[in-house]
Amino acid sequence: WTVLRRFSDGETRKVYKFIVNNRGKSFTSSLIAAKCGIDLALAERALNHLLCMNLISRRDVNTDDGVIYVYSEWGTHKLILVYSILSLASRLGNYVESYRGFLS
């Protein structure tokens, strides 16, 4: 339920897709927001959702201006589970009654 609820908004899906497509790289929330074309507050909320599910990692970098959070991919072994849950949810959402079960 938690995975479905957190991935129900488009921002979380966009941010996760961007991070997974750029494996091995690290990003700040402002760069992620710009690359995904979403507001910074929505990007930070999406990043917090992904952090709670342990799908990404965050490093804290101390600077003269304060702390900067740097995000990178983590837990990609969970990607098949996330994809399976979202795929099944999509099929159930578009379910058409049939004697053979699921119809696409």
Side-chain angles (χ1 to χ4, degrees), residues 61-97:
V61 179
N62 291 321
T63 65
D64 292 336
D65 298 330
V67 177
I68 297 175
Y69 300 120
V70 179
Y71 300 91
S72 61
E73 55 93 13
W74 170 258
T76 51
H77 61 282
K78 296 179 183 179
L79 186 59
I80 190 70
L81 298 173
V82 171
Y83 177 76
S84 299
I85 290 169
L86 295 178
S87 177
L88 183 60
S90 174
R91 292 190 78 185
L92 287 172
N94 299 322
Y95 181 73
V96 176
E97 194 67 39

Side-chain angles (χ1 to χ4, degrees), residues 3-72:
V3 172
L4 289 176
R5 186 180 55 194
R6 291 197 171 138
F7 274 103
S8 66
D9 64 346
E11 292 83 16
T12 302
R13 290 190 307 270
K14 280 183 184 179
V15 168
Y16 190 57
K17 180 180 177 182
F18 174 76
I19 290 174
V20 169
N21 285 337
N22 293 284
R23 283 185 172 172
K25 298 180 182 177
S26 299
F27 307 97
T28 61
S29 57
S30 58
L31 180 74
I32 291 172
K35 293 289 186 178
C36 293
I38 58 177
D39 187 48
L40 180 59
L42 294 174
E44 288 176 348
R45 187 183 75 178
L47 289 165
N48 284 332
H49 286 170
L50 295 170
L51 278 171
C52 289
M53 292 185 289
N54 291 322
L55 294 173
I56 62 172
S57 66
R58 181 179 80 184
R59 298 219 179 233
D60 302 348
V61 179
N62 291 321
T63 65
D64 292 336
D65 298 330
V67 177
I68 297 175
Y69 300 120
V70 179
Y71 300 91
S72 61

